[in-house]
Amino acid sequence: MEFFNSRFANSFGFFLGLVLLIASNALLSFANAKAHHHDFVIQATPVKRLCKTHNTITVNGMYPGPTLEVNNGDTLVVKVTNKARYNVTIHWHGVRQMRTAWADGPEFVTQCPIRPGMSYTYRFTIQGQEGTLWWHAHSSWLRATVYGALIIHPKEGSSYPFPKPKRETPILLGEWWDANPIDVVRQATRTGAAPNISDAYTINGQPGDLYNCSSQDTVVVPIDSGETNLLRVINAGLNQPLFFTIANHQFTVVGADASYLKPFTTSVIMLGPGQTTDVLIKGDQPPSRYYLAARAYASAPSAPFDNTTTTAILEYKSAPCPAKKGLSIRPVMPQLPAFNDTATVTAFTKKFRSPQKVEVPTDIDESLFFTVGLGLNNCPRNFGSSRCQGPNGTRFTASMNNVSFVLPSNFSLLQAHHHGIPGVFTTDFPANPPFKFDYTGNVSRSLWQPVPGTKLYKLEYGSRVQIVLQDTSIFTPENHPIHIHGYDFYIIAEGFGNFNPKTDTSKFNLVDPPLRNTVGVPVGGWAVIRFVADNPGVWLMHCHLDVHITWGLAMAFLVENGVTELEKLEAPPLDYPVC
């Protein structure tokens, strides 16, 4: 009996110690979590690029805007004051926003816009995410210049799953118009034609040496021989997927969209707008100066695009200084893939894997099939020819499952859902295309005109969702970066042509697929994603080419509340903007 009691006491003591250790670690983690307070002032600021000064909309007079750095588990409190002449919202791209959909940011989806002269405070906690995300305006085309990096470091006391880099550098790829971007999109909306393409790409706001009046401000990224550095690459461009490379250097890809990846090496990466990629580079080349360069991946065969190249300079600290020696050391220029090099994009995306086996949802509750693509509307009778300047006197449009998404204007979708306001939206978004057709073949012109609507798709809390995203060849096939707000998802397969449920399921990776928030649906092809609907609210799903969302390539999920308090949407904040 004494033996039993002593064993029981020892076991109980061990169990109690274990519980206390876990509790103390949890408390320590909670104690280490911080609240970061920031003020964002949206304002017009003189910005000179390509020889010309524009009154550019910025945050705090900065272009790009401020980089926010937090640790996993921290809370962000950002007061946004609008001193510009346009309505504005801020979206925290890729942040899960668990139960805090009110802080997600897309205009008329989770909030009404912040009117000129008004303010709104975004409050949310980063939960279980580490790596590189970003923030941007989500109102009209303001995100052309209103954007910045959001860097999530591991929890204090934790570390990266790779050797700690000597230094970290955010690399924000952007697009610049030698015009007011709002005027560009308004003109396109008026005429029904495609908007004017950008005049330059930028790296951290600067076009670089290959553009007029730009070389004196070209961004310099320092490195030293022997060190390993982390580049956090973000495609903040409005409408263009981009290739990115550095002359004579290899990348080791270690993360994307704030999720770690099984490391792999490559000489070039491709990011669709909205996507982020974390890469390690080694200072293993002769000390000199090397160009970082980005230019378009243009997958649509006939669409015009900006074919310029943006550059920055990777400079070894021990390299001869051109200014001091009167030398002009021209940096080494890298080879970039051809603009339409889909084979390189495919080879790159096929390398993406989670670091270890993951729990991919099985026993699917909602098996959805969404077509994504463009369309052409016939010219309305009351429109003159000046308002129908698309191909053959039409107006450009876009849709998912033949529904061209229309945003409400009197209430946000989340507000209407939460308060039970009728007449703002319906929940009859189709689970499958209304008509089956040869999606990537020669599509009948009768299918080129989608139906406008504000249609949501309802998901029960906890449901396991699979979506096949199918590109179409209506007007032109194209690589579409599809982003879901409030969720990460596993990309379990990609392919070309029409998705075949009988044969293509054999390609599903249910072991270690990558976790992302934006998937590039291959040009003339398809992608399959899975996630669990564990975050209540109204969540926008859209193409991250802003020209396409302007045309209606979007829909939204209405994820219902669960049973417990922690499975329900929080109450709206007191300063929630009114329409």
Side-chain angles (χ1 to χ4, degrees):
M1 193 67 180
E2 279 179 21
F3 171 72
F4 176 78
N5 284 341
S6 67
R7 278 196 66 178
F8 176 77
N10 287 343
S11 299
F12 182 73
F14 173 76
F15 175 72
L16 190 62
L18 193 64
V19 168
L20 288 170
L21 182 66
I22 291 168
S24 65
N25 282 346
L27 282 170
L28 191 65
S29 171
F30 183 74
N32 285 339
K34 297 185 181 77
H36 302 260
H37 294 259
H38 296 276
D39 286 297
F40 276 16
V41 178
I42 313 293
Q43 61 192 59
T45 305
V47 175
K48 187 176 184 181
R49 297 290 184 275
L50 310 181
C51 321
K52 199 186 289 184
T53 301
H54 290 277
N55 231 9
T56 300
I57 306 301
T58 66
V59 168
N60 300 349
M62 300 166 65
Y63 166 66
T67 294
L68 304 184
E69 297 198 48
V70 299
N71 291 82
N72 180 2
D74 288 355
T75 295
L76 268 166
V77 182
V78 184
K79 183 181 180 182
V80 177
T81 302
N82 186 4
K83 292 189 177 178
R85 59 191 172 111
Y86 305 110
N87 293 337
V88 73
T89 65
I90 300 292
H91 169 54
W92 314 92
H93 185 109
V95 173
R96 284 294 318 269
Q97 297 288 4
M98 299 302 290
R99 302 177 56 230
T100 53
W102 308 105
D104 188 44
E107 183 179 64
F108 294 116
V109 178
T110 59
Q111 69 169 94
C112 295
I114 307 167
R115 305 285 180 191
M118 306 301 285
S119 64
Y120 177 48
T121 300
Y122 294 89
R123 292 177 178 83
F124 55 91
T125 300
I126 307 289
Q127 297 180 44
Q129 296 182 282
E130 292 177 13
T132 307
L133 295 176
W134 62 301
W135 56 265
H136 61 79
H138 213 298
S139 182
S140 184
W141 274 23
L142 285 179
R143 82 167 181 86
T145 55
V146 178
Y147 63 85
L150 172 53
I151 294 168
I152 309 167
H153 298 286
K155 288 184 177 181
E156 285 194 23
S158 300
S159 58
Y160 298 125
F162 46 84
K164 186 172 169 56
K166 178 79 175 174
R167 71 182 88 220
E168 302 181 11
T169 309
I171 302 288
L172 291 105
L173 309 176
E175 276 183 277
W176 178 263
W177 274 260
D178 202 10
N180 178 347
I182 302 295
D183 292 343
V184 173
V185 68
R186 284 179 176 174
Q187 181 192 11
T189 302
R190 196 166 51 246
T191 64
N196 291 340
I197 58 173
S198 56
D199 296 287
Y201 299 112
T202 57
I203 295 177
N204 292 353
Q206 295 293 342
D209 289 355
L210 306 183
Y211 298 90
N212 290 338
C213 309
S214 300
S215 55
Q216 71 276 13
D217 295 311
T218 296
V219 168
V220 174
V221 177
I223 194 167
D224 218 350
S225 293
E227 68 185 26
T228 298
N229 294 347
L230 176 65
L231 302 183
R232 300 175 176 275
V233 190
I234 300 164
N235 186 349
L238 218 64
N239 294 320
Q240 194 61 60
L242 294 166
F243 289 115
F244 175 75
T245 188
I246 302 180
N248 296 7
H249 288 72
Q250 287 279 310
F251 296 134
T252 300
V253 178
V254 292
D257 293 359
S259 288
Y260 293 118
L261 292 169
K262 195 170 285 180
F264 66 90
T265 57
T266 180
S267 59
V268 64
I269 64 175
M270 194 287 287
L271 305 92
Q275 293 184 321
T276 75
T277 308
D278 291 348
V279 299
L280 297 173
I281 57 162
K282 283 185 179 171
D284 57 5
Q285 294 300 302
S288 188
R289 305 166 88 226
Y290 301 85
Y291 273 129
L292 297 77
R295 76 173 188 186
Y297 165 50
S299 61
S302 55
F305 65 95
D306 178 351
N307 64 1
T308 62
T309 303
T310 180
T311 58
I313 297 168
L314 182 73
E315 186 172 83
Y316 280 73
K317 285 203 225 161
S318 47
C321 181
K324 285 180 185 165
K325 300 205 171 183
L327 305 169
S328 181
I329 301 173
R330 183 83 177 160
V332 182
M333 190 71 191
Q335 279 283 105
L336 277 151
F339 293 117
N340 63 348
D341 190 349
T342 294
T344 288
V345 174
T346 306
F348 173 62
T349 53
K350 277 188 172 172
K351 292 178 179 176
F352 278 58
R353 293 277 187 275
S354 284
Q356 58 269 318
K357 189 176 187 308
V358 291
E359 284 189 38
V360 182
T362 53
D363 303 323
I364 298 301
D365 302 303
E366 296 276 2
S367 187
L368 309 174
F369 188 107
F370 291 176
T371 57
V372 296
L374 305 185
L376 294 174
N377 279 335
N378 293 335
C379 193
R381 287 181 183 170
N382 59 333
F383 280 24
S385 59
S386 66
R387 297 198 63 191
C388 297
Q389 294 183 36
N392 303 315
T394 58
R395 290 178 60 84
F396 271 109
T397 183
S399 68
M400 297 177 100
N401 275 359
N402 206 46
V403 179
S404 188
F405 194 67
V406 179
L407 287 168
S409 55
N410 295 328
F411 301 96
S412 75
L413 295 172
L414 186 62
Q415 190 181 16
H417 160 58
H418 187 72
H419 297 293
I421 301 165
V424 179
F425 63 84
T426 58
T427 54
D428 57 346
F429 185 87
N432 295 282
F435 309 99
K436 284 190 175 176
F437 58 97
D438 180 4
Y439 307 113
T440 54
N442 197 4
V443 183
S444 162
R445 291 299 287 252
S446 64
L447 295 171
W448 284 37
Q449 281 202 93
V451 179
T454 310
K455 297 175 185 285
L456 277 55
Y457 192 89
K458 197 179 278 190
L459 293 171
E460 274 188 29
Y461 183 91
S463 56
R464 291 160 299 222
V465 184
Q466 174 179 292
I467 311 173
V468 176
L469 295 163
Q470 173 72 60
D471 185 29
T472 77
S473 56
I474 295 174
F475 185 69
T476 182
E478 190 166 359
N479 181 295
H480 294 279
I482 301 295
H483 172 51
I484 306 183
H485 288 232
Y487 283 89
D488 288 328
F489 46 77
Y490 291 110
I491 305 172
I492 62 169
E494 293 179 6
F496 291 98
N498 298 338
F499 177 77
N500 184 331
K502 292 196 176 95
T503 57
D504 288 330
T505 49
S506 65
K507 299 171 185 165
F508 286 6
N509 174 6
L510 302 178
V511 179
D512 59 355
L515 188 66
R516 303 209 66 171
N517 63 52
T518 305
V519 57
V521 177
V523 52
W526 49 268
V528 184
I529 63 172
R530 288 186 182 181
F531 63 94
V532 176
D534 60 357
N535 193 10
V538 176
W539 303 106
L540 190 65
M541 177 177 183
H542 65 95
C543 181
H544 220 280
L545 307 180
D546 273 32
V547 56
H548 291 177
I549 190 175
T550 303
W551 290 339
L553 212 169
M555 58 81 64
F557 289 107
L558 193 167
V559 181
E560 296 181 304
N561 280 331
V563 178
T564 69
E565 205 55 37
L566 292 177
E567 296 174 347
K568 292 177 180 174
L569 180 67
E570 290 180 2
L574 295 175
D575 63 341
Y576 186 71
V578 293
C579 286

